[in-house]
Amino acid sequence: MTGSSASPPEPSAPPVDSPFSAPPHEANTPTSDTTETMSRIPTGIKLPDAVANIDTAQVAAKVESFKKWTIGTFKNSKQQLLEHMGKIDKTVDPEFEAQCEVLKDIHRRYGLVVAAAKNFSQVLTQMAEAEKKLSESFYQLSLKEEQIKAQCTTTSETMRGVGEQASSLDACLRYFISSMETVYSQTITDTLHTIYNTESARIEYDVDRNDITAASNPPQGQQPKSLPAGATEKCDEKKAKYEKLKSDARIKMRLLEENRISVVAAQLEKLQSALAAYYSGNAKLLESSVRELSILQTPQPSFIPAM
């Protein structure tokens, strides 16, 4: 026995056929899971190259555009708030604004007509179906009740005719609704869109006008502020845009009134004929009204070209 102690034996690897042995792999060969994970990472793209391909001028232009939009939106919102509070003056055209308010009210009333007509059409559809079902039920009864067959047959035919007339009136009403929806949701709305654009242009003009006024007439004890280059020219351009849109809106409102009255009057006359025919039981006149309404010209979305 020597003075040096023997080192512990190194653990030997388990036999190849041992259940504790790992499956054989080649050196530095990734497993299937690793390979699948690596396959999801796009190859051939390097971060420095991707950054170098960015158009900095385009990004700067977009940032500057967003900055201008944000500042403009803030100024316009501030202008509207101060106008509502009565702390700042605004450009006013009483005659034009009165015409706009009248058109907005007319638009709202057309919406009420369309909604009520749709409700009436639904009732007519349900009533026509109910009358036709009642007619069929009397007919089925007549097949079994020989003693009252004549009365059942007569009642069945009467109810069938009434149901057909209700369907015809519903068809007339649907043609009328289609025309009124065009007037309400497209024709008048097109003119209102121009009016809203005019209001937006007026606010933008007033923002610049008030900025120039505030810079030229500062509070007592303060020096006048210098205006940015081209501020006056920019204000004049916005004023010209506002006046142009206001002129376009006036033309559209005038043409809209002339054409709207003629178109809606024709539609109403045909609908009145259909109602009179229905409630008087004149089936031939009712069918004629259906044909006339179906071929009657539908109003166009806009009576004048875009301006």
Side-chain angles (χ1 to χ4, degrees), residues 160-162 164-166 168-169 172 273-274 276-291:
R160 180 175 55 82
V162 171
E164 290 176 353
Q165 291 184 15
S168 298
L169 179 60
C172 289
S273 298
Y278 173 75
Y279 287 108
S280 64
N282 192 335
K284 292 183 178 180
L285 180 59
L286 184 57
E287 292 298 329
S288 176
S289 298
V290 174
R291 289 193 298 270

Side-chain angles (χ1 to χ4, degrees), residues 88-152:
I88 197 171
D89 64 326
K90 69 175 185 176
T91 303
V92 179
D93 188 335
E95 181 183 357
F96 175 73
E97 292 181 3
Q99 293 174 349
C100 294
E101 290 302 320
V102 169
L103 182 59
K104 291 176 183 179
D105 185 59
I106 289 175
H107 181 250
R108 180 183 65 82
R109 294 174 188 270
Y110 269 96
L112 295 176
V113 170
V114 171
K118 286 183 177 181
N119 187 31
F120 185 30
S121 176
Q122 293 176 356
V123 172
L124 274 176
T125 300
Q126 295 174 355
M127 186 169 65
E129 293 177 354
E131 289 168 344
K132 291 177 181 179
K133 288 181 180 179
L134 183 58
S135 171
E136 178 64 22
S137 65
F138 276 119
Y139 171 74
Q140 294 295 335
L141 181 62
S142 68
L143 299 178
K144 295 297 181 180
E145 290 286 3
E146 293 294 334
Q147 297 179 350
I148 56 174
K149 182 175 182 179
Q151 292 87 340
C152 288

Side-chain angles (χ1 to χ4, degrees), residues 97-306:
E97 292 181 3
Q99 293 174 349
C100 294
E101 290 302 320
V102 169
L103 182 59
K104 291 176 183 179
D105 185 59
I106 289 175
H107 181 250
R108 180 183 65 82
R109 294 174 188 270
Y110 269 96
L112 295 176
V113 170
V114 171
K118 286 183 177 181
N119 187 31
F120 185 30
S121 176
Q122 293 176 356
V123 172
L124 274 176
T125 300
Q126 295 174 355
M127 186 169 65
E129 293 177 354
E131 289 168 344
K132 291 177 181 179
K133 288 181 180 179
L134 183 58
S135 171
E136 178 64 22
S137 65
F138 276 119
Y139 171 74
Q140 294 295 335
L141 181 62
S142 68
L143 299 178
K144 295 297 181 180
E145 290 286 3
E146 293 294 334
Q147 297 179 350
I148 56 174
K149 182 175 182 179
Q151 292 87 340
C152 288
T153 302
T154 301
T155 305
S156 174
E157 293 176 353
T158 301
M159 293 304 302
R160 180 175 55 82
V162 171
E164 290 176 353
Q165 291 184 15
S167 297
S168 298
L169 179 60
D170 186 36
C172 289
L173 195 58
R174 289 180 184 274
Y175 285 123
F176 175 77
I177 291 172
S178 176
S179 298
M180 291 302 100
E181 280 189 323
T182 302
V183 173
Y184 169 71
S185 61
Q186 297 184 41
T187 309
I188 300 179
T189 302
D190 176 74
T191 303
L192 289 177
H193 182 67
T194 304
I195 291 174
Y196 295 142
N197 287 341
T198 304
E199 178 64 16
S200 297
R202 196 273 306 165
I203 293 173
E204 292 178 359
Y205 162 61
D206 279 346
V207 168
D208 286 3
R209 181 178 60 84
N210 288 321
D211 285 347
I212 293 175
T213 302
S216 304
N217 302 297
Q220 187 175 4
Q222 296 183 10
Q223 295 295 329
K225 298 180 180 179
S226 59
L227 294 172
T232 303
E233 291 77 5
K234 182 180 177 183
C235 181
D236 292 340
E237 291 177 0
K238 291 187 176 181
K239 180 180 180 181
K241 177 183 177 182
Y242 163 62
E243 294 294 342
K244 176 65 168 56
L245 284 172
K246 186 166 64 172
S247 176
D248 292 346
R250 280 174 170 163
I251 295 173
K252 282 193 172 186
M253 284 191 287
R254 177 173 56 81
L255 295 178
L256 172 65
E257 182 176 4
E258 294 173 358
N259 290 274
R260 184 185 73 246
I261 296 302
S262 61
V263 170
V264 175
Q267 295 283 340
L268 287 172
E269 287 177 1
K270 300 306 178 184
L271 180 61
Q272 290 169 8
S273 298
L275 289 170
Y278 173 75
Y279 287 108
S280 64
N282 192 335
K284 292 183 178 180
L285 180 59
L286 184 57
E287 292 298 329
S288 176
S289 298
V290 174
R291 289 193 298 270
E292 291 176 356
L293 270 171
S294 64
I295 63 177
L296 196 62
Q297 183 179 4
T298 302
Q300 298 300 317
S302 178
F303 294 124
I304 59 177

